[in-house]
Amino acid sequence: MNKVSIVTIVKNDSAGLEKTVKSVTAQTFQDYEFIIIDGASNDGTPDVINSFKQHFRKVISEPDNGIYDAMNKGIASASGEYIIFMNAGDVFASPEVLELVFSSVKGRPDVIYGDYLVDYGYTTRLLHGIPAEKIWQGMLTSHQSTLVRTELMRSYPFDLNLKIGADFGTLYKLAVKGCIFLYTPVTIAVIEPGGVSDRKRIQVYREHLQTVRRYCGFSPKIIIYYVFRIAESWLRQRVKSILPEKTVRTVIKHKADK
């Protein structure tokens, strides 16, 4: 059994896939398997897959019912002790990332998570993982900076009824079940902004609230927190839509420099 299964989901993103593959294969930690789940791409993606086929333990190329359906296929195919999703365009923060993570972890925690960088092109922003006891507030870190024991992911796959927040849904269920979450101060991934969760932040918070209420029932504190987050997200979207791009970049750069 490999220590970790690295699963990459891709559809019509040949450039992003090549970027991710090069990052994975540059890892100094070699105890991994690499799995590609391709949503029947019809661009140059199959050519990239073929060019790097010697690095993949398994490739599945077929239509799917969205990203979480594809990620569930990755879970079903994985045989590593842990699983991490590095989808097309995502990269590890350095070639030593996995080596640093596993050298810093003792025992067999159920979930290992760390920090991540957001690459805006003109600046980067480091975001730290938050304490596990605050998971009711949302994702502890990005999914690209989270490793979960594969057997648990098989028991609690992504809920396809959640269109954006299924990764949070699974992790929250694991927390409710009493699974052990371990934070490691390692910058694991570099991601780009502008993904679906960024563009539909209000829906993300609504789905998170749906998950939390499902397992914890009604709590005024939780309701107030999410109402505030939804209102804040709406206001930010409005302000961002009327501000000049240069001003938006200045604000982001100021936050990144803090």
Side-chain angles (χ1 to χ4, degrees):
M1 176 191 293
N2 293 106
K3 186 69 174 179
V4 59
S5 298
I6 303 171
V7 178
T8 294
I9 308 303
V10 62
K11 184 174 182 180
N12 293 334
D13 187 3
S14 57
L17 177 61
E18 183 169 356
K19 180 180 173 183
T20 301
V21 170
K22 288 180 177 179
S23 173
V24 171
T25 56
Q27 288 296 298
T28 55
F29 183 89
Q30 292 294 301
D31 191 10
Y32 69 83
E33 63 175 5
F34 198 3
I35 297 169
I36 304 294
I37 309 295
D38 171 42
S41 295
N42 54 22
D43 66 344
T45 297
D47 295 331
V48 174
I49 292 173
N50 188 58
S51 296
F52 293 94
K53 62 183 179 181
Q54 71 272 21
H55 297 290
F56 310 135
R57 185 185 70 79
K58 188 169 187 178
V59 175
I60 296 176
S61 184
E62 62 186 21
D64 54 58
N65 293 316
I67 187 170
Y68 291 121
D69 180 42
M71 292 168 81
N72 280 342
K73 292 179 183 180
I75 294 169
S77 301
S79 61
E81 182 180 1
Y82 289 91
I83 186 170
I84 184 171
F85 290 93
M86 297 293 290
N87 296 337
D90 301 328
V91 297
F92 287 108
S94 77
E96 296 79 27
V97 164
L98 291 177
E99 190 172 345
L100 289 170
V101 167
F102 288 113
S103 65
S104 69
V105 171
K106 307 301 179 186
R108 294 180 69 245
D110 299 310
V111 180
I112 304 167
Y113 68 101
D115 306 328
Y116 66 102
L117 279 167
V118 182
D119 184 359
Y120 293 92
Y122 53 89
T123 190
T124 58
R125 184 183 180 190
L126 176 63
L127 295 177
H128 297 284
I130 66 174
E133 59 268 21
K134 293 185 178 181
I135 194 170
W136 63 272
Q137 296 180 2
M139 288 289 286
L140 301 176
T141 187
S142 68
H143 77 252
Q144 299 93 334
S145 296
T146 306
L147 298 97
V148 183
R149 282 175 52 206
T150 304
E151 62 185 281
L152 290 172
M153 289 299 301
R154 283 207 185 89
S155 298
Y156 303 98
F158 297 114
D159 183 351
L160 302 188
N161 292 313
L162 298 172
K163 302 305 179 184
I164 300 179
D167 42 2
F168 172 74
T170 291
L171 290 172
Y172 194 78
K173 279 187 278 188
L174 295 181
V176 170
K177 295 290 183 180
C179 292
I180 299 172
F181 285 65
L182 178 67
Y183 167 75
T184 180
V186 175
T187 303
I188 296 177
V190 181
I191 67 173
E192 296 178 355
V196 176
S197 60
D198 282 341
R199 299 194 307 270
K200 298 184 178 181
R201 184 62 58 184
I202 291 174
Q203 184 178 342
V204 168
Y205 283 129
R206 285 174 173 164
E207 289 194 7
H208 286 187
L209 175 58
Q210 177 184 337
T211 295
V212 175
R213 289 192 64 183
R214 179 179 176 184
Y215 293 98
C216 292
F218 180 84
S219 165
K221 180 177 75 170
I222 291 172
I223 298 298
I224 291 170
Y225 172 81
Y226 277 101
V227 167
F228 173 79
R229 286 301 185 193
I230 290 170
E232 180 186 48
S233 296
W234 179 86
L235 181 61
R236 283 186 176 182
Q237 289 177 2
R238 294 290 295 173
V239 170
K240 189 175 180 180
S241 68
I242 62 177
L243 286 178
E245 178 65 23
K246 185 176 180 180
T247 302
V248 173
R249 289 190 174 201
T250 299
V251 171
I252 290 173
K253 195 172 187 310
H254 176 71
K255 289 182 177 179
D257 291 341
K258 283 186 176 180

